[in-house]
């Protein structure tokens, strides 16, 4: 797990634990894990360092990444970490990769036609597009969960999922808890391998649109 100290990362670790998975957190600041650390295997390191990742990966079924930059300024974090992760996974034979991306990369009216939003998220989107390029060329069994605005709302398990687009009729938000739920479902029962998946909360029960 990359990004375990973040909002989505914490939700993934907590839910993975409820589901009975064993989790390794690869983090730069283990002290930030707090009580989440109980029962986790923890590696300290820089996720851009392929050699360090390579040491942590053997014995794992999947890599989940909820890494994200601080702020909206120029960044190469997500692309750089995708490069190191792909390198380490290829070297160790771990094939399943699940990464959080950004829904702003869907070219859809209503989501992207908001020019201000595009401009605001330009740097994050550029970095995430680089990540998607590297991952889609990796030959691994990847899934990118392109997410709209993340909230700290509860786990509802009521959200739309669509391949290559945002789910029709969905909101433009999803809770970090529901994003974690999708990623863990996908680890357990892969249904969107080599897909850019749109995820969003839905007001009506229209889950699993694709
Ligand atoms: N926020 C939104 O509305 C939104 C919308 C769509 C998609 N996303 C994407 O969803 C993902 C998760 O978002 P989130 O809000 O849950 O994340 P978050 O709370 O901001 O957590 C980000 C994680 O990335 C790590 N990180 C940041 N910079 C790093 C660096 N230079 N080196 C190593 N680790 C670093 C953080 O580690 P530390 O704790 O050590 O800093 C933390 O674990 C991100 O990729 C984000 O771009 C967010």
């Amino acid at each position: 797990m990359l990004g375990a100290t973040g909002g989505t990362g914490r939700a993934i670790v907590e839910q993975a634990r409820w589901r009975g998975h064993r989790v390794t957190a690869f983090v730069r600041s283990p002290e930030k894990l707090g009580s989440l650390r109980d029962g986790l295997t923890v590696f300290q390191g820089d996720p851009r360092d392929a050699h360090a990742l390579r040491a942590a990966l053997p014995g794992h079924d999947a890599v989940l990444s909820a890494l994200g930059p601080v702020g909206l300024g120029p960044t190469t974090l997500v692309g750089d970490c995708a490069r190191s992760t792909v390198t380490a996974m290829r070297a160790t034979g771990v094939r399943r990769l699940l990464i959080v991306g950004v829904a702003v990369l869907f070219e859809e009216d209503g989501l992207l036609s908001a020019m201000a939003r595009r401009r605001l998220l330009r740097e994050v989107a550029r970095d995430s597009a680089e990540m998607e390029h590297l991952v889609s060329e990796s030959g691994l069994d990847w899934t990118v969960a392109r997410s709209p605005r993340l909230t700290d709302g509860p786990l509802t398990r009521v959200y739309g999922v669509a391949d290559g687009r945002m789910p029709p009729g969905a909101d433009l938000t999803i809770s970090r808890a529901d994003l974690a739920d999708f990623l863990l479902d996908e680890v357990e029962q892969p249904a969107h391998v080599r897909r850019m998946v749109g995820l969003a909360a839905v007001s009506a029960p229209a889950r699993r649109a694709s």
Side-chain angles (χ1 to χ4, degrees), residues 146-199:
R146 284 185 175 180
S147 306
R149 185 170 64 81
L150 299 177
T151 74
D152 289 326
L155 174 66
T156 68
R157 305 203 83 228
V158 179
Y159 51 85
V161 180
D163 285 338
R165 62 185 174 131
M166 289 303 284
D171 301 338
L172 295 183
T173 65
I174 188 163
S175 72
R176 290 177 171 89
D178 281 336
L179 171 56
D181 180 71
F182 169 77
L183 293 168
L184 290 168
D185 278 357
E186 198 56 30
V187 168
E188 293 170 2
Q189 290 192 303
H192 301 274
V193 177
R194 299 189 184 170
R195 295 283 183 272
M196 308 291 174
V197 178
L199 287 183

Side-chain angles (χ1 to χ4, degrees), residues 51-202:
H51 289 290
L53 286 177
R54 191 175 163 161
L57 283 187
H60 291 82
D61 298 321
V63 175
L64 289 84
S65 175
L67 286 165
V70 178
L72 300 176
T75 177
T76 59
L77 176 74
V78 170
D80 290 347
C81 292
R83 191 173 294 104
S84 57
T85 301
V86 166
T87 300
M89 289 179 72
R90 280 181 172 156
T92 51
V94 180
R95 293 199 50 80
R96 190 74 178 105
L97 174 60
L98 301 105
I99 302 195
V100 179
V102 292
V104 74
L105 289 174
F106 286 125
E107 305 271 346
E108 289 169 6
D109 284 347
L111 182 67
L112 271 191
S113 57
M115 291 302 287
R117 184 171 158 78
R118 289 189 89 158
R119 217 172 295 128
L120 186 68
L121 295 174
R122 186 175 51 207
E123 299 297 339
V124 170
R126 185 179 295 153
D127 188 25
S128 197
E130 172 67 3
M131 173 275 284
E132 290 189 352
H133 171 70
L134 292 163
V135 163
S136 61
E137 297 287 310
S138 68
L140 299 171
D141 297 331
W142 55 270
T143 300
V144 174
R146 284 185 175 180
S147 306
R149 185 170 64 81
L150 299 177
T151 74
D152 289 326
L155 174 66
T156 68
R157 305 203 83 228
V158 179
Y159 51 85
V161 180
D163 285 338
R165 62 185 174 131
M166 289 303 284
D171 301 338
L172 295 183
T173 65
I174 188 163
S175 72
R176 290 177 171 89
D178 281 336
L179 171 56
D181 180 71
F182 169 77
L183 293 168
L184 290 168
D185 278 357
E186 198 56 30
V187 168
E188 293 170 2
Q189 290 192 303
H192 301 274
V193 177
R194 299 189 184 170
R195 295 283 183 272
M196 308 291 174
V197 178
L199 287 183
V202 287

